[in-house]
Amino acid sequence: MSELSNPCVSCGACCAHFRVSFYWAEADDAGGLVPTELTEPLNLFMRNMRGTNRAAPRCVALQGEIGGCVSCGIYEQRPAPCREFTLSGEGGIHNEACDRARARYGLSPLFSPSLPVMTESYALPGAPELPEHVQSPG
């Protein structure tokens, strides 16, 4: 998915809704990638991203305004929970957590599993054909 079509760059809700906890060895002081100075200990085996273990969480690495233009300041070094989190609808799979985070900030869901996927079989009889320069979304 290109950055221009990725809804995450105009959202950021997940980065300001969930605690981001991960195994302590993912931090760079233990041989991992996540900058230690952006983490805090959670327990003996876990760390979390600073700012995410609050009543109103916001990851310290999140840059920009939620619902506007956002980015992760450590994208290539982000921990496993961030790498594994998918936007709702990616691969046709609903991610309720993504939609819940978006709802907290008044953003509409990205995917609804109850809506049919538009295919050519839904075309109305007698509807004009698409011009050659226009591609069908299927």
Side-chain angles (χ1 to χ4, degrees):
M1 179 178 305
S2 76
E3 188 173 301
L4 294 175
S5 66
N6 186 340
C8 294
V9 298
S10 62
C11 181
C14 60
C15 304
H17 185 69
F18 302 107
R19 180 177 68 200
V20 180
S21 304
F22 52 93
Y23 187 60
W24 66 273
E26 284 194 62
D28 60 8
D29 66 350
L33 297 174
V34 182
T36 303
E37 65 275 7
L38 300 182
T39 72
E40 56 192 15
L42 183 61
N43 60 37
L44 187 59
F45 298 104
M46 303 292 287
R47 295 184 186 194
N48 57 263
M49 292 301 295
R50 259 189 313 114
T52 65
N53 197 23
R54 299 180 182 160
R58 182 182 168 106
C59 182
V60 67
L62 178 62
Q63 300 171 345
E65 292 298 317
I66 297 166
C69 183
V70 295
S71 65
C72 175
I74 60 164
Y75 187 79
E76 293 300 322
Q77 299 164 294
R78 69 197 188 281
C82 302
R83 291 178 185 277
E84 295 165 2
F85 195 87
T86 58
L87 63 99
S88 192
E90 186 173 1
I93 299 170
H94 179 231
N95 181 350
E96 187 272 333
C98 172
D99 290 337
R100 185 168 17 109
R102 289 178 60 82
R104 178 179 182 181
Y105 292 94
L107 301 170
S108 61
L110 293 175
F111 181 76
S112 176
S114 63
L115 294 176
V117 176
M118 193 63 119
T119 64
E120 290 183 42
S121 64
Y122 286 92
L124 296 173
E129 297 214 10
L130 295 173
E132 285 184 34
H133 68 278
V134 177
Q135 295 183 356
S136 173

